[in-house]
Amino acid sequence: MEIVVGKTAGFCYGVKRAVDGSIEQITNNKNPKIYCLGELVHNKQVVENLEEKGIQFIENINEIQENNSKVIIRAHGVKKDIYEQAEKNNIQVVDYTCPNVLKIHKIAEEYKEKGYYIFLTGTENHPEIIGIISHCGENYTLIKNEQDVEKAIENLEKSNIENLLIISQTTFSTKKFEVIKSIIEEKVPKNIEIVIKNTICLATETRQKETKELSTKVDAMIIIGGKNSSNTKKLFEVALENCENTICIETKNEIDINRYKEINKIGIMAGASTPQSSIDEVIEELNK
């Protein structure tokens, strides 16, 4: 059996920065507690490891009662009013929001101030989307798929705004974004000025492209990543289009070895929040 691991599998820059930075905070922390608002990244194994090292994960900043406490902002970012609450409550913020996500926040703020209506493509209730929406103002519509475009255009027309910005969640499907963008360009009234900012990060695009290429050259694909990881789900969808024998797992324990006994070539890809240890364990399990 030949095992081919994607070159882009595993931690992206933003996730590595957040994880390494958080470990450094724990190591140098002189306060009794250090908190993280929400999951630092969408990977259960990474979160559990950080909990063991001493980080306390919370869902609401008001859970922090101690003065001069530190709170880590997750890689996906948070709503902008969180920073105001932290300052008001004398909580020190350690911001590990991915720079690509912060860039979207700035773009949304800029075009909101210019009076643009905003179409945002992404996954509903995803932490990154919740943060971005807080910078969009009132005139925005979230587009989850092609079916949402018609309603979004209706909302745009009702607003009487003649300037439109299109942006995206960093981990959205590049293929789906292009399809949605084309439909919008075709159906939006001609008097509307459209500005398109493809804010899907380069690491996401590259990873999806490599997954597509790899899935056409193997007999089976294994995608490794957190169950709640948006970018991992997109990799699974991309691989499945080209390789029917594709599964998405979080750990080696979900592998049925019997399924691969007659397989000659297996491709492995992993989401941006998947640690190298999870990838190594899957390879070891297959080699048995």
Side-chain angles (χ1 to χ4, degrees):
M1 178 194 296
E2 180 184 358
I3 300 172
V4 183
V5 182
K7 294 177 181 177
T8 57
F11 281 179
C12 67
Y13 162 76
V15 168
K16 187 176 188 306
R17 171 178 172 268
V19 173
D20 289 350
S22 295
I23 292 173
E24 185 179 339
Q25 289 296 325
I26 300 167
T27 305
N28 299 328
N29 184 42
K30 296 178 182 178
N31 294 331
K33 287 185 180 179
I34 185 164
Y35 297 88
C36 182
L37 190 56
E39 292 185 331
L40 182 72
V41 296
H42 278 161
N43 186 277
K44 183 181 177 183
Q45 289 69 44
V46 171
V47 170
E48 287 178 348
N49 179 258
L50 292 172
E51 278 183 319
E52 289 172 6
K53 292 181 183 299
I55 288 183
Q56 186 171 334
F57 289 86
I58 58 174
E59 292 302 321
N60 191 315
I61 198 165
N62 292 323
E63 293 178 47
I64 302 174
Q65 300 297 324
E66 302 90 350
N67 283 328
N68 299 313
S69 294
K70 279 186 179 181
V71 63
I72 292 172
I73 302 298
R74 61 195 174 202
H76 294 106
V78 292
K79 294 192 293 184
K80 66 178 184 178
D81 64 356
I82 293 295
Y83 297 94
E84 296 168 4
Q85 286 181 282
E87 185 176 358
K88 181 181 177 182
N89 296 337
N90 199 27
I91 298 169
Q92 183 182 344
V93 171
V94 183
D95 197 349
Y96 288 128
T97 304
C98 174
N100 290 319
V101 176
L102 289 175
K103 180 180 176 182
I104 301 174
H105 291 179
K106 290 178 181 177
I107 292 171
E109 284 281 355
E110 177 188 346
Y111 281 84
K112 176 192 73 175
E113 294 301 322
K114 289 180 179 179
Y116 277 66
Y117 198 96
I118 299 174
F119 284 176
L120 169 61
T121 63
T123 305
E124 191 172 22
N125 295 325
H126 188 281
E128 182 185 327
I129 285 294
I130 293 170
I132 295 170
I133 286 173
S134 72
H135 293 270
C136 291
E138 295 179 356
N139 296 310
Y140 80 91
T141 299
L142 175 64
I143 299 176
K144 305 178 291 295
N145 49 49
E146 298 91 322
Q147 289 71 40
D148 290 339
V149 173
E150 188 174 338
K151 181 63 177 177
I153 294 175
E154 282 181 21
N155 293 342
L156 169 64
E157 291 177 332
K158 286 177 183 176
S159 74
N160 293 317
I161 296 173
E162 297 186 352
N163 300 293
L164 173 65
L165 170 70
I166 303 173
I167 53 177
S168 178
Q169 178 180 337
T170 57
T171 55
F172 198 63
S173 164
T174 52
K175 179 180 178 181
K176 191 178 288 187
F177 180 79
E178 289 301 320
V179 171
I180 290 171
K181 182 187 75 171
S182 297
I183 297 172
I184 293 170
E185 289 177 315
E186 178 186 339
K187 294 192 173 183
V188 162
K190 301 303 178 186
N191 64 307
I192 304 293
E193 177 202 342
I194 303 176
V195 175
I196 301 169
K197 302 279 188 181
N198 184 347
T199 50
I200 298 173
C201 80
L202 182 59
T204 296
E205 291 188 38
T206 305
R207 199 182 302 260
Q208 289 179 11
K209 183 179 179 182
E210 185 182 17
T211 301
K212 180 179 180 180
E213 292 174 354
L214 181 56
S215 61
T216 62
K217 300 174 182 177
V218 296
D219 305 307
M221 281 289 293
I222 297 177
I223 310 298
I224 311 167
K227 300 296 184 186
N228 56 345
S229 167
S230 175
N231 75 87
T232 298
K233 289 177 183 176
K234 300 296 186 300
L235 296 181
F236 173 69
E237 292 169 3
V238 169
L240 194 60
E241 286 182 2
N242 302 290
C243 180
E244 289 185 1
N245 192 3
T246 296
I247 63 169
C248 187
I249 62 172
E250 199 168 82
T251 70
K252 67 173 184 177
N253 299 329
E254 297 170 63
I255 297 175
D256 177 7
I257 292 300
N258 293 321
R259 179 174 182 168
Y260 301 103
K261 284 186 175 180
E262 305 301 321
I263 297 295
N264 294 318
K265 195 173 185 179
I266 297 178
I268 293 178
M269 280 298 294
S273 301
T274 305
Q276 185 61 43
S277 58
S278 294
I279 300 170
D280 292 340
E281 287 171 1
V282 168
I283 295 170
E284 183 182 350
E285 188 71 13
L286 291 172
N287 279 328
K288 289 179 182 178

